[in-house]
Amino acid sequence: MAEQVIIIGGGIIGLSSAFYLQEAGYKVTVIDSTDMQQGCSYGNAGYVCPSHFVPLATPGIVKQGIKWMMNAKSPFYIQPRLNRDLISWGLQFMKSATHAHVERSAVPLRDIALLSKRMYESWAELPDMDFAYEPKGMLEFFKTEESMRHAEETLKEAQHLGLDTSLLNKAELQAMEPHAEIDALGALYFAGDAQLYPNKLMSSLLGWLRQKGVLFEMNQSVTGFITEGDQLKGVKAGERIYAADHVVLAAGVWSGEVARQLNLRLPMVGGRGYSVTFENAPYKLFHSIILSEARVAISPMDGNKIRFGGTMEITSLNAPPRMQRVQGILESVKRYFPAYDIPMPAADKVWYGYRPCSADGLPYIGKTDKYRNLTIATGHSMLGISLGAGTGKLVSELVQNVPASMDITPFRPQRR
Ligand SMILES: Cc1cc2nc3c(=O)[nH]c(=O)nc-3n(C[C@H](O)[C@H](O)[C@H](O)COP(=O)(O)OP(=O)(O)OC[C@H]3O[C@@H](n4cnc5c(N)ncnc54)[C@H](O)[C@@H]3O)c2cc1C
């Protein structure tokens, strides 16, 4: 009889894992605390971006972060709180923010992104799996000389990693986006990046998995486990206990909390970001765009939609949204596109979600020493979509106990 896998969390990581586990012949049940319509895997920018081989924890970010904290509209903010988890995460984050860590992380981040991209390409070929996948490349705009020098460094590193990347001057950049008036010095062009429409990806996946017999238990929070020695025997949610041969923990930013129920430590904080999406808007852009100084993402997608998103706000998971940050995103777009006067939408049209931020910017993917049938897959920070399909593939290999498609030791959950 097929073995039963319980997946905790129905975001992109949980659903990608379900995809490959059902394909490998397991009986799969996904448990999620919500109705799976609005979480972090929906309103994000939808970039599939091997270009992002630099983790969040970088040498400059701490100093820059302190400066940004003084500005309510800035792209990065840590809400000061006397919280033990936040303090310990912060200390580990600072410890990781070194050149050596950035260098060590580049190859694993590139490899999992390329694996993931191949998986998305194969999904895009499947019948009934339409998620507006467009391998159209990404432009990373810069406005200042300092950012240009930084872009030149990134270009060298990207080319060294074998990523198809070029540096465009102002005229070349303008030619790439002929319908917009651009105020920037130039851009990096990452030809190998792709754009997808996350809301469609999630609904397509959900439909596909249902059709393949994957079961969904929505609006049920996992509150505990049945254990026997080094085995998880069951998962408690609501009134029920779900018997399990294998458990996958993919609960996004809440994974740390769930892991604590098993006395496991998974350093994690929520990095809140916001986005607004317009349909049939007058902003005629083609490529996925990052405004590097403003840390804003612009995603033209699914034919008639454009999404503006950004900010990284390390805050408690129930703090009310701060609309000044959304205002900050829209105002910074105008600095690069002077003709764009994007209206501030009503509060109920603003989406926000919490990126599951590990302390060193690398995901946690692997097994733990304590429970041999538990697989952890979380902590993807700002890259959960990009690394999602690949993570699902790796999770299925871990559960099956077969060799992984790539070296996953840098992602081991119990690293210190
Ligand atoms: C503004 C913004 C833009 C972004 N842009 C990009 C991008 O362009 N490319 C990219 O790769 N990434 C991007 N990201 C990051 C990406 O969205 C996340 O990394 C990704 O969605 C995380 O997926 P996940 O499955 O780990 O978590 P989630 O999507 O948060 O899913 C976790 C699920 O677990 C459930 N859950 C929690 N606790 C429990 C429990 N106790 N029991 C049962 N279920 C539980 C939750 O309800 C949730 O549905 C962006 C994020 C933001 C905020």
Side-chain angles (χ1 to χ4, degrees):
M1 213 173 79
E3 293 183 359
Q4 172 74 56
V5 185
I6 301 292
I7 299 179
I8 306 170
I12 185 60
I13 303 302
L15 296 195
S16 301
S17 304
F19 182 95
Y20 287 106
L21 285 163
Q22 67 76 27
E23 195 179 73
Y26 291 90
K27 267 169 65 184
V28 180
T29 300
V30 178
I31 305 179
D32 198 285
S33 353
T34 69
D35 58 0
M36 295 170 53
Q37 295 299 318
Q38 273 299 315
C40 197
S41 298
Y42 289 79
N44 61 72
Y47 295 167
V48 177
C49 44
S51 61
H52 282 47
F53 52 83
V54 178
L56 182 62
T58 56
I61 191 82
V62 177
K63 212 165 109 195
Q64 178 69 68
I66 291 167
K67 270 198 233 156
W68 271 334
M69 278 174 72
M70 310 301 157
N71 177 356
K73 292 181 180 174
S74 70
F76 186 74
Y77 176 72
I78 300 186
Q79 182 194 3
R81 277 172 295 149
L82 275 180
N83 172 301
R84 235 177 65 187
D85 289 344
L86 176 65
I87 293 167
S88 118
W89 180 92
L91 291 173
Q92 215 174 321
F93 181 85
M94 286 194 273
K95 201 176 107 198
S96 307
T98 64
H99 288 292
H101 172 66
V102 170
E103 222 165 89
R104 268 197 310 272
S105 305
V107 168
L109 283 177
R110 175 202 61 187
D111 288 351
I112 185 172
L114 291 176
L115 170 71
S116 204
K117 191 181 156 202
R118 286 198 299 278
M119 303 296 110
Y120 282 124
E121 282 163 358
S122 67
W123 291 4
E125 299 293 312
L126 295 171
D128 305 328
M129 274 280 267
D130 171 20
F131 49 97
Y133 183 78
E134 295 175 88
K136 59 187 178 183
M138 177 191 288
L139 290 166
E140 198 171 306
F141 284 33
F142 50 82
K143 272 177 85 76
T144 66
E145 296 285 341
E146 190 189 345
S147 303
M148 185 164 77
R149 280 192 295 279
H150 186 257
E152 284 162 356
E153 286 306 307
T154 307
L155 174 71
K156 275 190 233 154
E157 289 158 34
Q159 288 178 337
H160 178 69
L161 289 166
L163 301 171
D164 182 357
T165 311
S166 45
L167 191 63
L168 309 181
N169 63 27
K170 199 175 167 63
E172 289 163 334
L173 170 59
Q174 187 62 69
M176 296 282 279
E177 291 292 349
H179 303 295
E181 179 198 339
I182 295 174
D183 185 358
L185 277 186
L188 276 172
Y189 177 53
F190 297 101
D193 283 8
Q195 174 74 59
L196 55 76
Y197 181 30
N199 308 61
K200 244 185 175 174
L201 170 69
M202 295 301 286
S203 60
S204 280
L205 256 178
L206 205 57
W208 177 270
L209 294 171
R210 280 206 166 106
Q211 201 192 314
K212 296 285 176 187
V214 172
L215 298 179
F216 288 89
E217 296 289 346
M218 296 191 188
N219 301 306
Q220 298 286 347
S221 285
V222 169
T223 51
F225 294 88
I226 309 292
T227 62
E228 204 178 285
D230 63 357
Q231 283 265 56
L232 298 181
K233 289 290 187 187
V235 173
K236 294 183 200 167
E239 301 293 298
R240 280 189 63 181
I241 292 174
Y242 296 83
D245 297 303
H246 304 272
V247 176
V248 176
L249 174 53
V253 70
W254 298 272
S255 302
E257 210 175 286
V258 178
R260 243 195 314 269
Q261 295 165 14
L262 290 165
N263 283 324
L264 292 170
R265 194 173 156 265
L266 216 49
M268 184 93 74
V269 296
R272 183 162 61 185
Y274 302 81
S275 74
V276 291
T277 308
F278 298 91
E279 281 191 27
N280 304 315
Y283 320 116
K284 300 294 174 218
L285 297 169
F286 175 72
H287 296 91
S288 316
I289 293 173
I290 289 187
L291 309 177
S292 64
E293 294 88 354
R295 311 250 164 156
V296 163
I298 305 179
S299 313
M301 56 192 178
D302 197 31
N304 68 342
K305 300 180 184 63
I306 189 160
R307 179 169 285 173
F308 300 92
T311 84
M312 174 68 91
E313 206 186 355
I314 309 287
T315 183
S316 84
L317 299 182
N318 37 31
R322 293 182 175 82
M323 289 302 147
Q324 291 126 300
R325 304 231 162 251
V326 183
Q327 190 84 51
I329 293 173
L330 301 182
E331 284 172 9
S332 59
V333 173
K334 191 169 169 64
R335 292 201 288 277
Y336 296 77
F337 297 99
Y340 289 3
D341 287 304
I342 307 170
M344 178 70 187
D348 65 343
K349 297 278 183 264
V350 172
W351 173 91
Y352 60 91
Y354 295 89
R355 303 172 184 90
C357 297
S358 65
D360 61 4
L362 296 182
Y364 302 116
I365 306 170
K367 298 220 172 181
T368 66
D369 301 335
K370 211 166 167 194
Y371 298 104
R372 61 191 163 89
N373 61 340
L374 170 67
T375 301
I376 295 192
T378 186
H380 294 71
S381 309
M382 50 198 189
L383 293 173
I385 294 293
S386 188
L387 312 183
T391 299
K393 178 85 177 144
L394 294 169
V395 165
S396 105
E397 291 163 349
L398 280 158
V399 171
Q400 291 173 75
N401 216 2
V402 298
S405 298
M406 60 171 282
D407 176 17
I408 54 169
T409 40
F411 306 142
R412 66 195 181 283
Q414 289 179 304
R415 62 185 182 267
R416 290 286 169 264

